[in-house]
Amino acid sequence: MENNVQNENLLTIVKCIIKDILQRWILIVAVMIVFGSVFDFMKTVTYVPQYGTNMTATLSSGGDTFKSIDKVQSYVNTLDYLMNSNNAKSYVKKKMPISKTTYKAEVTLKQANVVKIKVTTDTKREAYFSIKY
């Protein structure tokens, strides 16, 4: 008996909630539209485009590349470190001339001796010249 009363109370509460939602559906939709518009506006205002450029290079170790994979991976790690170093960024900054650099370089090993260098930045010009220099 007590279980029945609890089920009826729960059913009554659910019915009231559904009835309130159906009565105020216009308000709910309006609030969703307002918040969606504000979110879209903020995303548009704070958007910063990203430009990128790629370069593929082959590494030659003078011998069989497959025997010196650890050397190639070490070279890739070193090249990644050098491309993202403050010295490289200051060199690009001095050559362009700009006040600050925003590029991020990523060096990955595609195959046994093929390296892909990808640069991502806020401007097309900086993306191009950071790979070139």
Side-chain angles (χ1 to χ4, degrees), residues 110 118 120 131:
K110 286 180 72 172
K118 179 182 178 185
T120 308
I131 280 282

Side-chain angles (χ1 to χ4, degrees), residues 28-86:
I28 293 170
V29 169
V31 168
M32 289 173 59
I33 289 172
V34 167
F35 279 116
S37 299
V38 168
F39 175 75
D40 185 54
F41 174 76
M42 291 305 293
K43 191 173 83 169
T44 302
V45 168
T46 59
Y47 175 72
V48 177
Q50 292 290 306
Y51 299 97
T53 186
N54 297 321
M55 180 176 79
T56 304
T58 57
L59 305 176
S60 174
S61 63
D64 188 8
T65 308
F66 293 105
K67 290 183 180 177
S68 60
I69 284 289
D70 56 336
K71 290 181 186 175
V72 172
Q73 188 59 46
S74 174
Y75 179 76
V76 168
N77 292 342
T78 303
L79 187 59
D80 186 56
Y81 177 76
L82 290 174
M83 288 288 293
N84 288 303
S85 70
N86 288 336

Side-chain angles (χ1 to χ4, degrees), residues 92-102 123 125-126:
V92 170
K93 185 169 52 170
K94 184 172 79 172
K95 283 288 195 178
M96 283 187 60
I98 53 175
S99 61
K100 74 174 196 169
T101 58
T102 59
T123 64
R125 187 170 183 257
E126 187 179 354

